[in-house]
């Protein structure tokens, strides 16, 4: 995993939230974060989109796991912090920088749930759009 430095992805499905950037200083600062997902992603991933255009793709399974217990995948670590918060730790690919971000767990859980719902809706839509066998043009006559 590494941040995508180009502009934000297609809007798609988005959960907007605020998070705290945790620093060594006495004050953490809140920032707006967009959690994006695309039902067509395979494997499913959530994109953490920060101000300035930095995006981190994170596998949905890792986010789910990190909501319950410490989890790590590549350069992202996620773990619960108390009953209502989750810490997400992003390591830069060159390992020179680490960003520690605190989220309300409800925002991440809402995003995970919506990604499942959107995936189910997309699967239903593609199934409904699939061609079906053509019905006969005329009804066969029944001798009686």
């Amino acid at each position: 995993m590494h941040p995508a430095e180009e502009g934000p992805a297609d809007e798609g499905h988005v959960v907007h939230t605020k998070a705290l950037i945790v620093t060594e200083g006495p004050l953490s600062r809140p920032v707006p974060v967009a959690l994006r997902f695309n039902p067509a992603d395979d494997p499913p991933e959530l994109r953490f989109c920060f101000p300035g255009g930095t995006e981190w793709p994170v596998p949905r399974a890792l986010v789910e796991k990190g909501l319950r217990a410490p989890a790590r995948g590549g350069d992202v670590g996620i773990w619960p912090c108390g009953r209502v918060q989750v810490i997400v730790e992003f390591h830069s690919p060159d390992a020179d920088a680490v960003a520690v971000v605190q989220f309300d767990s409800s925002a991440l859980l809402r995003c995970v749930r919506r990604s499942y719902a959107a995936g189910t809706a997309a699967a239903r839509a593609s199934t409904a759009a699939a061609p079906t066998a053509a019905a006969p043009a005329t009804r066969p006559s029944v001798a009686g």
Side-chain angles (χ1 to χ4, degrees):
M1 304 291 125
H2 56 80
E5 293 297 337
E6 63 273 355
D10 183 18
E11 189 72 11
H13 298 278
V14 180
V15 172
H16 294 280
T17 189
K18 291 214 181 252
L20 289 177
I21 303 294
V22 179
T23 65
E24 292 179 13
L27 298 175
S28 297
R29 63 185 208 276
V31 296
V33 179
L35 303 170
R36 291 190 172 101
F37 55 93
N38 181 345
D41 285 346
D42 189 27
E45 67 180 19
L46 306 180
R47 298 184 74 78
F48 289 72
C49 305
F50 294 93
T54 299
E55 295 185 13
W56 284 83
V58 179
R60 179 176 66 191
L62 180 64
V63 175
E64 284 182 282
K65 202 174 189 184
L67 286 166
R68 296 182 308 274
R72 178 165 291 287
D75 49 5
V76 176
I78 304 174
W79 61 91
C81 179
R83 294 176 45 159
V84 297
Q85 296 171 331
V86 173
I87 300 294
V88 182
E89 184 178 78
F90 301 96
H91 292 261
S92 68
D94 56 12
D96 286 344
V98 176
V100 179
V101 185
Q102 180 180 333
F103 289 89
D104 285 341
S105 55
S106 62
L108 296 182
L109 183 59
R110 184 170 55 248
C111 187
V112 167
R113 287 181 176 162
R114 287 184 182 177
S115 73
Y116 274 108
T120 301
R124 283 189 195 135
S126 67
T127 302
T132 57
T138 58
R139 294 177 59 143
S141 60
V142 178

